[in-house]
Each structure stands twice: as structure tokens, then as C-alpha cells.
Amino acid sequence: MDRHPDVARQLAEVINDQSPQSAETLKTAISSLIRSVRDRLDMEVGFLSEFNEDQRVFRFVDCARDANLVSAGSCGPLKDSFCEMIADGRLSQLVPDTAASGEMDLVPEFSLIPVKSHVSVPVVLSDGHTFGTFCIFSREVKPELNNKSLLLVRVFADVIAALIEDARKGSEENRKRQDMILGLLERDELLLHAQPICGLHDKGIQGFELLARLSTDLDLSPAQLFIDADRLGLSAAIGMRVIEKSRHALAVLPEDAYVSINVTPAFLEACDITGIYSPEESQRIVLELTEHEEIADYDLLNEKLRPLRESGMRLAIDDAGAGYASMRHILLLSPDMLKLDMSLIRDIDQDRDKQSLVAALRGFAQVQGYKVVAEGIETEAELAELETLNVCCGQGYLLSRPQPLDTFRK
């Protein structure tokens, strides 16, 4: 039996390295495969075991309702276990009657668990190393088990092996990306640039949106950095670094301009940023909510926002008008600003529907006392149309591209 050398990376650790969605998908897939084979063969118990150094660990277990004979996560010595004997060929993989075959006397574990029939195969990875075993067994003799039964279990064992290998590869890639992100933070290679937010009539700068940039030549965009950080559980670390750096931005940028920082509901719920800014700094901070998904608990989010807004910070809803989620945010969070999604602004001078929607949002905002900012202004025609619609503020490449903070030093 050729044991797998990567004993440190147990399947449980590999699963933990996945994103929550990927981990759940993997667990569901393996569990479903085991149950499918157990049901097809009308057996009581199915399990996937893993060999870890000198231990045999039951990773996945599926049992009939009255046959809780093995539990997932339990382990014991590998040496001379039923699983090791299957893997090294000491036992037959197909046994309809263990008493008739003599296995009842050969396997010590059968004195504790009366396995009367089983179909068991090694789970072998593509490099030839044995991961563990896939076994289906019953406390009843099953004379109907045959070579077709064995072939079925072997095929499903191969599928499980492929799933495990894909997960291992994904886990390794995740670990490398995680190390890269942590390295960026440790080397202080996450920078902030500022994009002016201007009054559309006088073009005077009213505020700045802070945008993340990287001082490295890695093939990684800031957008992908945040996607990966969220997937790998590093969003809080990235978000807190942006918050810390925003204090430097406040010191560099003109004192009469506000500073807008992108935050997600998940970040606000996970991280307490109260007390980070001085009272004077808080008055200049706008928290720009950048979540596109539905928020599960608006009451909780409002409770998190309450002390921040009481300190003087303002709330902006990003991508307003882009869909259902942003409209719910507006209604349930009562923001101070609406940032119109750039999809509404693109070619607005040629699109009457966009003009009507922007006019409606501006009218609603005026009644509610919200300031409106148009994002993504790129042409003179778009700017002229927004001025006609009485949108007061905007940002975009036509007005100014994001620049290093020192470009706007007061």
C-alpha cells in the first residue's frame, strides 16, 4: 500500500481552506455519492475513510436510520484495521457473507461491529497514493452482491478521488493566494488613490472617493484582490487596512472636502471602527455601502451604523438605481447620499428611459434630503444632460481620474 505523503493536509483541513460555498458543495457531493451507492446496494452503512499517519479517520459516513454504527470524525489505529486490510489486499473487496469467507475471524473490528457483508475498495489518487477506503457494509448477509456491485463502488470511489484531488489543488491555490495577500499587507503594498467628487455646475471639488491600488507588479487587480480576500476570509484585514490608511488621506487632502470609503455590510458587522477617527475626522467621513446582495438583517446593520452616524459620519448608497438591492438599502437605511450607478450615466444623453429614472431618483432624493452623486461621467454630452437634470455632483474620468493622494495635497 502506497500511503499519501502529504499527511499534514488532511481532508478536513482541505475543506476548511475552501470558500464556504465550495466547501459545502464538496461535502454535499461526497455525502450524496455515498448515500447513492448505499441505497442502490440496499446496505446499512457507507463511509469514506482517510489514512493519516498511523490513524484511520472516518471522514464521511451515511447510515440507515437504525444503523448508527460508525460516526464521522471518529478515528482509531490504522494498523490491522479493516480499512488497512482492504487497502493492502489482505481482505477481499467483495464479500456477500463474512462468516462464510472467514473474515469474521480475521478482522478484530468485526467483534465490535457485526459486518456480515461488504463491498470495500481503496481510494487511490492519480499519483498512485492511497487516500483511504470507500466502504459499504451491512449487518445482514447479502447474497445478491456481485461483480456489478463491486464495479459500482469502484466507479464511485474514482469519482470521490477526483473530487478530493480537485479540492487539494484548490486548497493549495487558496493558500498561495492567501499568503500573497498577507504578504501585500505585511509589505504595505496596498495604497490609496483619490478620485474627486465635483459639483457639476462649478466643477469645484466637494469630496474624494478613496480607491485601493497596489504598489506591486503582481498580476492582480484591486477588484480581484477584494474578491479573493472575501473568499479567503481576509476581507476584515483588508478593510481595516483601508480604514487605517484613510486617516493619512484625511491629513493630506483638503480639509473642506469629505472622504468616501467603500465598506460592505459584512465588514461593518464584523469590525468595530468606532473611535478610530477623531471627532473632526468623523465629520469628513462618508461610508459608501458597496454590497449588491440582499441584506439579511437591516435592524442589525442600522444598529452597527448608529454610533458611527452619531459621531458625524455620513452614509452613501453605492450603485443606486442598479437593481432591487440598492433600492431596499435606500428605503431601509435612510442614507445621506445616493451614488447613481454608472450604468445609468453611460450614454444618458441618448436614452430617455435613463433620463426619466435619474430624474425620478433626483426628485425622490430632494424630498428626502439626500445628496445625489452621478458616477462614471466620461463624456461632455453625459455631463451636459446631468446638469439639465439638476444632478448636483458627479465623478468620472471626464472630471478626473483617480490619482495618488499627494496630487491633491492641501
Side-chain angles (χ1 to χ4, degrees):
M1 178 179 62
D2 199 0
R3 297 277 304 285
H4 198 285
D6 189 14
V7 295
R9 302 301 298 161
Q10 298 181 59
L11 182 57
E13 296 175 279
V14 170
I15 290 174
N16 287 337
D17 282 345
Q18 310 298 306
S19 68
Q21 182 177 2
S22 296
E24 192 60 34
T25 299
L26 176 62
K27 291 188 287 187
T28 299
I30 294 178
S31 297
S32 297
L33 289 170
I34 295 173
R35 172 163 292 190
S36 296
V37 178
R38 185 179 69 77
D39 288 345
R40 178 73 175 272
L41 298 182
D42 190 27
M43 304 286 270
E44 291 182 300
V45 178
F47 67 77
L48 172 69
S49 72
E50 179 177 10
F51 299 165
N52 178 45
E53 295 186 310
D54 61 351
Q55 295 288 299
R56 183 268 315 273
V57 185
F58 293 105
R59 289 299 180 202
F60 288 85
V61 177
D62 183 76
C63 302
R65 183 172 299 178
D66 60 344
N68 295 316
L69 306 173
V70 180
S71 58
S74 61
C75 63
L78 175 62
K79 183 174 175 55
D80 293 331
S81 68
F82 169 69
C83 292
E84 185 183 58
M85 296 170 79
I86 286 292
D88 64 19
R90 281 182 279 167
L91 297 179
S92 297
Q93 295 179 2
L94 172 67
V95 180
D97 184 344
T98 57
S101 69
E103 281 192 5
M104 288 297 293
D105 299 325
L106 293 175
V107 184
E109 289 173 295
F110 287 0
S111 63
L112 301 174
I113 302 177
V115 176
K116 296 297 181 64
S117 58
H118 70 85
V119 185
S120 309
V121 300
V123 177
V124 181
L125 304 181
S126 60
D127 60 4
H129 292 102
T130 300
F131 171 85
T133 58
F134 178 34
C135 175
I136 309 293
F137 73 82
S138 182
R139 291 171 294 182
E140 299 177 0
V141 172
K142 294 287 184 176
E144 66 272 19
L145 293 175
N146 55 34
N147 284 332
K148 288 184 178 179
S149 309
L150 179 58
L151 178 61
L152 177 69
V153 174
R154 284 176 175 169
V155 167
F156 275 66
D158 289 342
V159 173
I160 290 174
L163 290 173
I164 292 169
E165 290 196 284
D166 285 345
R168 284 185 184 274
K169 292 175 183 176
S171 171
E172 187 60 32
E173 291 172 1
N174 285 344
R175 291 173 67 199
K176 290 179 180 177
R177 185 52 62 98
Q178 187 176 54
D179 289 344
M180 184 189 68
I181 293 173
L182 292 173
L184 288 173
L185 295 178
E186 184 177 347
R187 296 187 299 272
D188 197 25
E189 293 178 333
L190 179 66
L191 305 178
L192 293 182
H193 282 198
Q195 184 175 34
I197 299 167
C198 303
L200 296 190
H201 294 292
D202 62 8
K203 307 303 181 293
I205 294 177
Q206 298 189 7
F208 296 89
E209 180 177 352
L210 298 184
L211 300 167
R213 296 293 184 265
L214 301 175
S215 65
T216 177
D217 293 331
L218 288 173
D219 185 20
L220 179 69
S221 69
Q224 190 61 49
L225 169 68
F226 283 95
I227 291 171
D228 289 345
D230 182 60
R231 182 171 54 84
L232 299 171
L234 295 174
S235 290
I238 296 286
M240 286 304 298
R241 181 60 59 89
V242 170
I243 293 293
E244 293 165 5
K245 285 181 170 290
S246 69
R247 297 198 66 200
H248 172 68
L250 288 168
V252 170
L253 298 173
E255 293 178 359
D256 59 350
Y258 66 83
V259 171
S260 180
I261 303 169
N262 294 299
V263 294
T264 66
F267 173 77
L268 292 173
E269 291 174 13
C271 300
D272 184 5
I273 62 173
T274 56
I276 290 180
Y277 299 103
S278 70
E280 293 77 15
E281 291 171 334
S282 295
Q283 298 292 324
R284 296 174 58 196
I285 292 294
V286 174
L287 299 174
E288 189 170 325
L289 204 65
T290 59
E291 182 64 56
H292 294 273
E293 303 297 327
E294 246 189 285
I295 295 172
D297 192 337
Y298 280 93
D299 289 338
L300 176 61
L301 181 56
N302 273 313
E303 187 61 25
K304 291 288 186 179
L305 286 167
R306 182 181 57 78
L308 302 176
R309 300 181 79 171
E310 288 177 351
S311 73
M313 297 185 200
R314 286 168 286 173
L315 178 68
I317 300 300
D318 192 26
D319 300 333
Y324 172 76
S326 67
M327 298 308 294
R328 277 184 61 84
H329 297 352
I330 294 168
L331 294 173
L332 297 176
L333 296 176
S334 299
D336 303 284
M337 297 183 187
L338 305 184
K339 300 197 73 175
L340 301 181
D341 186 68
M342 63 178 61
S343 66
L344 292 179
I345 308 306
R346 186 69 60 248
D347 298 324
I348 190 172
D349 54 296
Q350 305 171 39
D351 192 320
R352 296 183 67 87
D353 290 338
K354 290 182 179 180
Q355 294 166 18
S356 297
L357 181 53
V358 168
L361 287 170
R362 187 203 60 77
F364 171 76
Q366 185 175 27
V367 171
Q368 298 298 119
Y370 306 155
K371 179 179 285 189
V372 175
V373 178
E375 294 187 286
I377 304 171
E378 294 189 355
T379 69
E380 292 287 354
E382 291 168 354
L383 176 61
E385 185 61 41
L386 291 167
E387 290 177 322
T388 300
L389 293 169
N390 290 319
V391 174
C392 67
C393 303
Q395 66 186 99
Y397 284 0
L398 178 67
L399 302 173
S400 175
R401 289 177 176 269
Q403 302 287 340
L405 297 178
D406 283 342
T407 306
F408 308 102
R409 182 177 288 275
K410 57 189 177 184

